[in-house]
């Protein structure tokens, strides 16, 4: 069994920091950093995001109509000016090998469909007598990216094309596929998702299958479980409180669908230096409390954890945020996490998430989504713990919390800053 | 702390069997039966359902415009022809005392508002100088029951009226209030629900507060938690497969809101003899498999369990259904239950519900909602159990299940009849 | 053929001025005024609005739970303290006779259904062995008025009850019925409307059948045509510009359904002294320009024209507004009126309504719904008039307008004040 | 003033018969036929429909990804294999000249946007330093046609491109533009429509501006009036009764927006031989009665009249259908036409449309949309004609109808076949 079945993936993705313009140098630098500093905490995936085939790609905006690099079968290849090791049609093979040599895993982003440029040139589909014009649908295009035509899922050449790209990725040694322009398009693109899933899962190499963009459609939860490993529950997530605030409700809805290889995905963590293409000094706008809130929610919810910032520029706080062993253990050990209640009280907006601990205890994550510091009193009975002989540890501060008795019932008091959080480990003694 | 905070209520309600026409004799008979045969399994509430103040009430249809029995303050009293011990204005006092003497608890149904007859007579509101016409809203009426006018929640006489009825119920010794015509009417009647909740909770006696009818409004989950103990998630539930089938989805949606005194309510169990007023020989139309499915789902979901049939007519199967100690223990011990997946496979429609066991293990409830017998293979990894050193017990048959290995991973095989279910207790050794 | 088939009714209704508290004295006073001053211009209906059976009724608020005056068959009678000539159960007979003696016609408002008081007393239905409780539906009540229970349209006693009230109204000499709580309730109350329509139309006396309140449901246009003479296209209309502004769109939608006995109804004209019960000095808040706009739109659209103010207090302007012979002729002669265009230009918001004149010419009503005075240039070609040999008369000022030529095409220039209007009569010579 | 302001256009369009594959030979043949046989009745436009630039185009299906013929500025040119006179880049100049020499007018279909092929080749925009890639929007594509990219209406090069194509069409002598992929896309494409309208209206040649496809958005009626001459109120109309039946409701909604240069468009008339590319013997499936119904509705509603069939194959019935002088006079003379009522009676479903006659009389079109022959009795009062001294002529049979008196009121009786119609001219004597 792959670890992906047990644990939601942890890694790094180039988008938040480099947009469509990531380069080989940057990928290698971050892979080296992860291998040296983060691998021991469980971080292992290095994922190259969108438009790596575009020689002109630079920032978070897509360059329309550029001449994407392809092979003679219309399969995209890395732009050689950005990925020198791809020279001579070698694709991502050398880069993947290098990432593997560091003990890590290697992933790439792809768009559904076939390059429009392959259609304009009417290239043949590998291993078939079909051509690109026969399998492409001219009016089936992505709403926000200019590169591809969607395929006709009923045409057998479409399956052949997808088979051909996964064969290529297998030859490169790819471990993780982030497929874009499909997740939220249910039911319109359900047939195409099923086709791609079949193709990927029959290619002969285990790859994590991640689909974007969100928000995923709740009514399709079982369909996502059947066809993918992780699916985005939100549109692109950035360092804005409104988006983090909204994630509580998204996570609440999806919480019962998490676990055992099913990973609703709250998107990358925009921490440390981000948006490097626009402004070299740009850092996340989230406060430290907000970052703790984000990391606590993502971890108890067991979202995939994909770092979005340039890791070599991380400061101490950021490193502590992503290397807290107990929090990362919760990310593996939490079971059946869900939001227990949400209340306005004492000037704050308090939210309680609870989870069973796979070892017989409980986790409680407490959030203050309000604008004022305020006090939370957690009755242990709200966790359905009816003993007072309980050891309670706050995991961010590694601090044992005392038990107070309120009208004969055990309780824990906590003060939470605005947009702040605490995570408790509770064990009956 | 009341047990209601720890455990969802278990009891009997007169509606499924006697409709609006229940009598004292019937209530006493069922209370005696429960005390003797079921109390030791945790069944304890005896609840008299709707229109007990109506002298003419007979069946499941409401008699419109009948002269409901009231006191001089417009507070409904039991119709004396149906509840002889209420003679002389004694209300339910004697009946409640008798139920208590059997070791049980006593509940009644009420409609929100004030009797239209009290308004027609313009009776005074107890302890105030207001009259019924001042607090009633003539256009605020129930859509399906003819008895009451709703109250103006902004009028201070409305609070006084509700205070006066709960004072009366306290004097009778009532333990359980089933308030009707309010639960699904959010947000229209949110103010009136809050008013009634405040009134009940300040009356000086602990009473379980149950609200009807459903379906409750999911977006109001926190509001229900704040104001009530249990709330109906469905319109009236009867012995039809379509309704049982639909309950899986209702329960799925509400599962994260269950526990610690919050009890989303899947409604009464229409088992054994029901609808006695229409046909003396009428029995539930559910098959035995369907009844096991119902009891399994209600129990792992921790719905309140309210028996709807005439208990003195229960056969062996029905008695076993409601006295399975392990199933009833799950009803108390399950934590964080939710639907894990739902799949069409092997000719069936399979559904897996999982819960943590408060003692460190897990429960799995497996359902076949399809029309053909079929086989389920439960990979233990789907329960996020990664050891094969696990003891698995099926609770309806009290049978230890063997562990098979499938490609190196432990699994349990089960055959399920159409509309059938199995419940597993899983413990790592 | 009744005039009602040819012309939309013109008259006076007590609501805008006296609300639920109108008295016989007021009705007589206004009837006398109309007979003397307005009958010659075509104004002829005198209509007593809502809750005339209530002894306590006073203002625009309904008195709930008051003891409405009824006969022994549950048929409402005028409250004798407010309508002295009704003493001894004579109903509106004497008042109607008096109105007729002045050359006018007499109308009353009714609510659908039977008085709740008749149901509480369980009175018999005239000429049948049914009683009120048998035909009333306890949960079928008006949302905004407290007086009645709706009837079960499938019960033959319901038809008998409606027959009995129209027989009574026939005996009084009623010419006009304004039926309330039904018009906008399609399709929910379609059966009840059809039942009442049948009953009224078979009573043996011609009465105009007007239904309220609006907004009427556009998809039911043919149903209204079949069952009623006039139907309200708006909720209550008052002297607020926003409501007048919104009427352009309502009238636009309904314009093709006007004529030949079908009269979509834009509601009463709140002019002169209104709301007399609250403030003796209260007068319409509409400016003179707004009143001209209102009268122009209602007239070209051929809405029924029902005066809402206390006529004895009308000033010169108001009298001119309602006695402009050419405008009132347009109200009879316009054919196929509709909105031609609506444009923002020259700082104004201009609207053109056009109609054929039954005598072979055309009418144009030009409105400025904007906030600034501005100029309209009406190309005659926009009226589909292609000759320049046309006589154009503005009807409010009785002024011949010159024809300008713009690039060889004939045009008329007009300046319109904010919220102002002009009405043109165009005839080819 | 152009005739287009006075009269809705009448002509022929190649789509119904030849789809995307029309040829010069066919156009010339139909133009000659029209000139000789139909011009004297007012038919004058000859319009070449979609994909005339495609060398491979053949039928009603679009050929995706074919190499459309263009000039060096990305402006489409007729495919020379289909339009020989276009050889050498001459475009439609010779064909337009020929059509003009026959006394007719010449029109073409265009798609909004720029050819994808022009973008793939990144051609320059005429008279500017912009290129196709700069003005095209890669994700802004038609949902059903593969040829074009939409333009960025905010880019000044977009206006320059549209200016360049209308300059070309002016040089060819085009009189009529049918712009596609825009009409129903309000408000999404409102900016692009406004841009194209400005460009066309400033090109220095009068061309009728027709926009497709429908259904047009009713709330945008004033916007259409401002920017176009005619707009489609329906998706493609074909020879199916369901589509004709539905047109009554579409026409009813749009009727008040017709006239004075505003022509809501019910689409082509699929009469005579149609769909010639599929089946040489294919003829319209409409019955003769249905064709009379269609022609009657289109004419009183004053829809543009565009013949869809191959005219050289018209039989006597078809010729009579389109050369009835009185019906075609109504198409010019009707004013303020609208649906008066729609009733189920006498086994039929009867519909009355009425219009004023610009000369002082009235038109009535009577339809039987039901499945059985049935009788209509038209009371003249329903036309708001109150004299019985009226001459009534049925225009399809040129027959004077007698006046019957019903209860003192004048009436005309007609028998209508299923799906049949009659048109009356009514004049007071």
């Amino acid at each position: 069994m792959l670890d992906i079945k047990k644990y939601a993936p942890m890694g790094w993705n180039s988008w938040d920091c480099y947009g469509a313009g990531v380069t080989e140098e940057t990928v290698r630098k971050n892979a080296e950093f992860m291998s040296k500093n983060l691998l021991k905490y469980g971080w292992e995936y290095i994922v190259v995001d969108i438009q790596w085939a575009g020689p002109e790609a630079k920032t978070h905006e897509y360059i329309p109509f550029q001449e994407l690099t392809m092979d003679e079968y219309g399969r995209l290849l890395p732009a050689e000016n950005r990925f020198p090791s791809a020279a001579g049609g070698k694709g991502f093979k050398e880069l993947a090998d290098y990432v593997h040599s560091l003990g890590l895993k290697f992933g790439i982003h792809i768009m559904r469909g076939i390059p429009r440029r392959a259609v304009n040139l009417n290239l043949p589909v590998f291993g078939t007598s079909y051509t690109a014009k026969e399998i492409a649908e001219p009016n089936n295009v992505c709403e926000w990216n200019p590169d591809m035509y969607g395929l006709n899922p009923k045409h057998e050449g479409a399956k052949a094309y997808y088979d051909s790209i996964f064969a290529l990725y297998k030859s490169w040694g790819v471990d993780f596929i982030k497929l874009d322009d499909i997740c939220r398009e249910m039911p319109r693109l359900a047939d195409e998702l099923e086709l791609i899933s079949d193709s990927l899962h029959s290619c002969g190499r285990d790859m994590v299958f991640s689909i974007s963009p969100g928000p995923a459609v709740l009514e399709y939860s079982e369909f996502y479980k059947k066809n993918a490993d992780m699916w985005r529950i939100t549109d692109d997530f950035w360092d804005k409180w409104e988006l983090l605030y909204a994630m509580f409700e998204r996570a609440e809805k999806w919480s019962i669908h998490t676990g055992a290889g099913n990973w609703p995905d709250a998107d990358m963590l925009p921490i440390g230096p981000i948006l490097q293409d626009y402004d070299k000094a740009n850092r996340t706008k989230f406060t430290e409390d907000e970052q703790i809130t984000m990391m606590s929610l993502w971890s108890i919810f067991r979202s995939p954890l994909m770092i979005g910032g340039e890791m070599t520029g991380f400061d101490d706080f950021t490193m502590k945020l992503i290397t807290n062993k107990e929090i990362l253990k919760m990310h593996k050990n939490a079971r059946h996490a869900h939001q227990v209640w949400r209340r306005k009280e004492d000037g704050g907006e308090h939210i309680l998430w609870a989870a069973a601990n796979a070892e017989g205890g409980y986790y409680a994550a407490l959030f203050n989504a309000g604008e004022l510091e305020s006090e939370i009193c957690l009755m242990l009975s709200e966790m359905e713990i009816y003993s007072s002989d309980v050891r309670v540890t706050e995991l961010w501060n590694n601090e044992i919390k005392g038990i107070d008795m309120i009208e004969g019932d055990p309780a824990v008091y906590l003060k939470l800053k605005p947009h702040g959080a605490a995570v408790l480990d509770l064990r009956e003694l």
Side-chain angles (χ1 to χ4, degrees), chain A residues 97-161:
Chain A
D97 286 349
Y98 181 66
V99 169
H100 292 152
S101 77
L102 296 169
L104 304 175
K105 292 175 177 163
F106 180 72
I108 58 172
H109 171 284
I110 62 173
M111 298 293 298
R112 70 177 181 90
I114 190 168
R116 295 194 197 181
R117 192 171 167 240
V119 176
N120 296 341
L121 298 170
N122 203 20
L123 298 181
V125 176
F126 181 85
T128 74
S129 57
Y130 299 119
T131 66
K133 288 192 178 180
E134 292 173 272
I135 62 172
E137 293 187 321
N139 309 314
N140 174 2
V141 302
C142 177
E143 285 181 7
W144 44 269
N145 176 283
D147 295 342
M148 318 296 274
Y149 285 123
L151 300 187
N152 174 357
K154 295 201 174 64
H155 193 295
E156 64 178 339
K159 173 72 158 55
Y161 179 76

Side-chain angles (χ1 to χ4, degrees), chain A residues 238-277:
Chain A
W238 285 102
D239 50 338
K240 291 181 185 171
W241 168 249
E242 299 70 37
L243 296 176
L244 180 47
Y245 184 84
M247 198 65 76
F248 286 100
E249 201 173 323
R250 297 184 187 281
E252 183 190 7
K253 280 185 191 159
W254 280 99
S255 62
I256 61 171
H257 299 295
T258 286
N262 302 314
W263 309 113
D265 176 6
D267 203 7
M268 276 95 77
L269 306 164
I271 54 176
I274 55 174
L275 295 169
Q276 291 308 288
D277 40 327

Side-chain angles (χ1 to χ4, degrees), chain A residues 193-414:
Chain A
L193 177 54
E194 211 156 18
L195 176 70
I196 299 172
S197 174
D198 287 351
S199 204
L200 182 150
H201 289 112
S202 62
C203 82
R205 179 176 177 88
D206 282 322
M207 306 186 203
V208 175
F209 189 30
S210 161
I211 55 176
S212 281
V217 180
L218 194 57
E219 289 69 22
Y220 276 71
S221 54
E222 298 305 324
F223 188 75
Y224 294 129
K225 290 176 190 173
K226 193 175 159 203
N227 287 290
D229 298 309
M230 49 190 270
W231 51 89
R232 279 268 299 281
I233 62 171
T234 170
D235 201 344
D236 280 14
F237 177 75
W238 285 102
D239 50 338
K240 291 181 185 171
W241 168 249
E242 299 70 37
L243 296 176
L244 180 47
Y245 184 84
M247 198 65 76
F248 286 100
E249 201 173 323
R250 297 184 187 281
E252 183 190 7
K253 280 185 191 159
W254 280 99
S255 62
I256 61 171
H257 299 295
T258 286
N262 302 314
W263 309 113
D265 176 6
D267 203 7
M268 276 95 77
L269 306 164
I271 54 176
I274 55 174
L275 295 169
Q276 291 308 288
D277 40 327
Y278 302 133
D279 173 358
K280 288 296 174 195
N282 193 62
R283 300 189 77 84
T284 185
K285 291 191 192 68
F286 277 141
T287 65
E288 294 191 355
D289 282 309
E290 287 166 347
Q291 292 179 66
I292 286 171
T293 285
M294 173 174 66
M295 193 67 188
S296 302
L297 178 60
W298 268 235
S299 297
I300 195 166
F301 175 60
R302 290 198 288 165
S303 170
L305 296 174
M306 301 299 284
I307 293 165
E310 166 57 61
M311 293 184 284
T312 61
F314 278 7
D315 58 15
D316 278 1
F317 171 79
T318 311
M319 287 304 290
K320 278 183 193 156
L321 184 75
I322 59 177
T323 58
N324 183 312
K325 285 191 178 176
E326 290 297 324
I327 294 292
L328 293 174
K329 189 174 165 192
M330 176 173 75
H331 183 249
K332 290 192 164 49
N333 266 16
R335 293 287 181 275
H336 303 199
H338 61 274
Q339 183 177 304
V340 178
W341 47 248
R342 183 168 188 157
R343 298 174 185 158
K344 298 202 176 182
E345 56 185 4
D346 190 34
E349 181 175 357
H350 298 163
I351 300 171
L352 171 63
W353 275 70
N357 179 318
E359 294 160 2
Y362 291 96
Y363 290 114
L366 289 146
F367 302 94
N368 177 12
E371 302 304 317
L372 297 174
E373 186 178 60
S374 66
E375 191 172 62
I376 294 188
C377 169
L378 175 68
M379 304 298 299
L380 294 196
S381 61
E382 292 175 320
M383 297 290 296
E384 303 201 82
I385 296 171
Y386 299 109
S387 159
S388 59
D389 201 11
V390 178
R391 191 188 62 212
V392 179
T393 313
E394 203 288 322
L395 299 183
W396 284 110
N397 294 313
N398 192 25
E399 182 183 21
I400 305 289
K401 305 295 294 182
I403 307 285
D404 287 286
M405 297 303 287
I406 302 192
E407 299 179 20
D409 294 323
V412 175
Y413 279 95
L414 290 149

